Amino acid sequence: MGKDYFSDIDDAGAEAQPPRGETEASLSGEKSIRNISVSPRRSAMTQRMVPPEARIRQEAPTTRRGFFSSRLLLWGIVVIVILGIIGIAAAFILGGSTTVTITPRVHQVTFDPSTQFTAYPTSDAASSGIVYTTQTFDIEESKTVPANGVEKAEDRASGTITVFNAYSDKPARLIKNTRFESPNGLIFRIPASIEVPGKNGATPGQITVTVFADQAGAQYNIAPTDKFTVPGLKSTPDMYNGIYARSTSAFTGGYVGEKPAVLPAALESARAELRSMLQSKVQESISGVQGFAFAALSKIEYESAPTVADPAGGAKVTEKAHVTVPVFPKEQFAQAIAQAVSADAADSQVSLQPQGQLSAQVSGTLPEIGSAPIVFGLSGSALVVWDVDADAIKQALAGKDQSAFKPIIANFLGIKDASARPPFWTSTFPAADKIEITIVDPTNAQ
């Protein structure tokens, strides 16, 4: 019987042996759902036995999410492409701006003081070289010094007037000591000759000057006055009516009586100090003139105002300077200088830009400014810079093919170099209002 038992196990194989994973409980005959282990091979076999339709239904949610993500990405790309096409189309329709960078021609000039220039007053109709106009202004400085007793004084008043020329478009010259009469018959005189600019259309030419009372006395300390006439012009009614003057501040200094006395040495020292201060003020005033003006070519006339008592004590000493300066118009002066140094500027508009201090020296004696030519030399250095007509360049380039850029630019003599940056999608320049002109700083254009 034992032989049969072992023979049955051998013949049964796997069936006679306990399955892998069975617990002792199963071997002992206790069977329960909790105690049943599923073999991996059976699990795989079970999955293979699931119908294909069921497997598809189980996998569908994951596949659908990936599908929607792909579609969103695709639509995003499509939107971006459409927006890009719209932007490019708008650029084509509306056009784009073009920047043109211009480097102007520049000529460095170093002046030799021995080279002489001659400038003529604008009243000289025959002048064809450098011309000049005149400008005058008055400056004063005061200081208080100790008094040394009193002294008798007879002082003349002074004040500032503006002279108008509504008579002619040509300058009107008034000689030294020309009289100006106030409405109440008081006479004031100019200390030096002046040239009143001509009128511009209906606008009178004008010049400001200091006048002095014809006699001493406080009666000449008059208030601002609407109109002074010129008695010497009465024989020419139109000129008499067209050349007149006006004051906007009171006249001062007229006095007859006693005033604080000052020791001669103290008075001389004070006046010398004040004139030195006036020199600096004259230079500042000349530097503010519209045009080229040089202190060395100016005429300065000093006037010692009467000393008066200072309310705080002592005597107040005042010095005045009447300045007449020749003024060279910027454009005309630059053109004349450029041609004089052979800068090939005869047919071009140029400007003159001083490099550092540019000064002038009169040759010989300074003549009567406003009525005679002035011969002078220059020291220092400057740049002659060709002017660039930006509007003309825009009009010349508007609508032209890019290949015409260099030939067009070559027609402008004031240009040393030029470059353009047109939109990448077109081969032509846009309208003039879409062209921007950038001019390189002349100091970097050498």
Side-chain angles (χ1 to χ4, degrees), residues 328-345:
F328 307 104
K330 285 186 175 181
E331 296 79 7
Q332 195 272 345
F333 186 69
Q335 188 75 30
I337 295 298
Q339 293 185 47
V341 297
S342 301
D344 188 25

Side-chain angles (χ1 to χ4, degrees), residues 205-411:
Q206 63 183 59
I207 189 172
T208 301
V209 64
T210 297
V211 293
F212 294 87
D214 205 31
Q215 298 178 12
Q219 69 270 27
Y220 286 88
N221 296 331
I222 62 175
T225 303
D226 284 340
K227 187 172 184 180
F228 293 86
T229 58
V230 183
L233 301 179
K234 281 186 176 181
S235 59
T236 309
D238 289 344
M239 198 171 187
Y240 178 76
N241 293 323
I243 296 179
Y244 54 91
R246 179 182 302 137
S247 67
T248 57
S249 58
F251 287 15
T252 60
Y255 179 77
V256 174
E258 291 185 338
K259 67 177 182 180
V262 181
L263 291 174
L267 183 60
E268 183 180 352
S269 176
R271 295 201 185 283
E273 181 182 348
L274 292 173
R275 290 191 179 191
S276 177
M277 296 168 64
L278 287 172
Q279 284 280 2
S280 298
K281 281 196 168 184
V282 167
Q283 183 62 56
E284 292 176 5
S285 299
I286 290 176
S287 64
V289 170
Q290 295 298 314
F292 284 96
F294 304 96
L297 304 183
S298 303
K299 184 178 182 180
I300 304 176
E301 296 173 293
Y302 293 102
E303 180 78 20
S304 297
T307 57
V308 296
D310 191 316
K316 185 178 181 181
V317 180
T318 301
E319 283 289 297
K320 299 182 179 182
H322 177 74
V323 184
T324 304
V325 57
V327 180
F328 307 104
K330 285 186 175 181
E331 296 79 7
Q332 195 272 345
F333 186 69
Q335 188 75 30
I337 295 298
Q339 293 185 47
V341 297
S342 301
D344 188 25
D347 299 322
S348 303
Q349 295 295 319
V350 298
S351 61
L352 189 68
Q353 299 187 12
Q355 302 294 288
Q357 183 65 35
L358 183 63
S359 59
Q361 309 81 37
V362 65
S363 298
T365 304
L366 186 67
E368 186 69 25
I369 298 175
S371 61
I374 302 174
V375 181
F376 63 96
L378 293 172
S379 297
S381 62
L383 293 178
V384 176
V385 182
W386 272 252
D387 295 340
V388 175
D389 190 339
D391 290 335
I393 294 174
K394 290 180 182 181
Q395 295 297 331
L397 293 175
K400 300 297 192 303
D401 191 87
Q402 292 181 28
S403 61
F405 179 69
K406 288 187 177 180
I408 291 174
I409 292 298
N411 292 326

Side-chain angles (χ1 to χ4, degrees), residues 43-345:
S43 176
M45 181 182 300
T46 303
Q47 186 172 356
R48 286 195 300 270
M49 294 176 63
V50 175
E53 295 81 2
R55 289 203 301 270
I56 292 173
R57 286 195 298 270
Q58 293 174 0
E59 296 172 358
T62 303
T63 304
R64 192 172 292 116
R65 284 196 298 272
F67 174 74
F68 284 132
S69 298
S70 299
R71 292 190 65 182
L72 287 174
L73 177 61
L74 179 61
W75 277 111
I77 294 173
V78 170
V79 170
I80 292 173
V81 171
I82 292 174
L83 290 176
I85 293 173
I86 293 174
I88 293 174
F92 272 104
I93 295 172
L94 300 178
S97 63
T98 294
T99 299
V100 178
T101 302
I102 301 294
T103 301
R105 289 182 61 190
V106 174
H107 185 90
Q108 176 76 46
V109 179
T110 300
F111 294 100
D112 181 353
S114 64
T115 301
Q116 302 294 292
F117 301 94
T118 301
Y120 301 86
T122 53
S123 57
D124 187 349
S127 61
S128 58
I130 301 174
V131 299
Y132 72 89
T133 60
T134 59
Q135 185 168 330
T136 62
F137 46 89
D138 297 280
I139 307 172
E140 68 175 51
E141 282 285 353
S142 302
K143 70 173 299 185
T144 300
V145 298
N148 184 34
V150 294
E151 62 182 0
K152 187 177 181 180
E154 294 185 357
D155 298 327
R156 297 184 302 159
S158 65
T160 299
I161 63 173
T162 299
V163 185
F164 296 91
N165 177 8
Y167 166 68
S168 171
D169 56 3
K170 298 288 193 294
R173 181 172 176 76
L174 301 179
I175 64 173
K176 180 179 179 178
N177 288 327
T178 292
R179 294 173 296 160
F180 286 85
E181 185 176 10
S182 69
N184 60 352
L186 297 178
I187 299 296
F188 298 85
R189 298 178 183 268
I190 56 175
S193 299
I194 62 173
E195 186 178 83
V196 188
K199 66 180 181 179
N200 183 9
T203 303
Q206 63 183 59
I207 189 172
T208 301
V209 64
T210 297
V211 293
F212 294 87
D214 205 31
Q215 298 178 12
Q219 69 270 27
Y220 286 88
N221 296 331
I222 62 175
T225 303
D226 284 340
K227 187 172 184 180
F228 293 86
T229 58
V230 183
L233 301 179
K234 281 186 176 181
S235 59
T236 309
D238 289 344
M239 198 171 187
Y240 178 76
N241 293 323
I243 296 179
Y244 54 91
R246 179 182 302 137
S247 67
T248 57
S249 58
F251 287 15
T252 60
Y255 179 77
V256 174
E258 291 185 338
K259 67 177 182 180
V262 181
L263 291 174
L267 183 60
E268 183 180 352
S269 176
R271 295 201 185 283
E273 181 182 348
L274 292 173
R275 290 191 179 191
S276 177
M277 296 168 64
L278 287 172
Q279 284 280 2
S280 298
K281 281 196 168 184
V282 167
Q283 183 62 56
E284 292 176 5
S285 299
I286 290 176
S287 64
V289 170
Q290 295 298 314
F292 284 96
F294 304 96
L297 304 183
S298 303
K299 184 178 182 180
I300 304 176
E301 296 173 293
Y302 293 102
E303 180 78 20
S304 297
T307 57
V308 296
D310 191 316
K316 185 178 181 181
V317 180
T318 301
E319 283 289 297
K320 299 182 179 182
H322 177 74
V323 184
T324 304
V325 57
V327 180
F328 307 104
K330 285 186 175 181
E331 296 79 7
Q332 195 272 345
F333 186 69
Q335 188 75 30
I337 295 298
Q339 293 185 47
V341 297
S342 301
D344 188 25

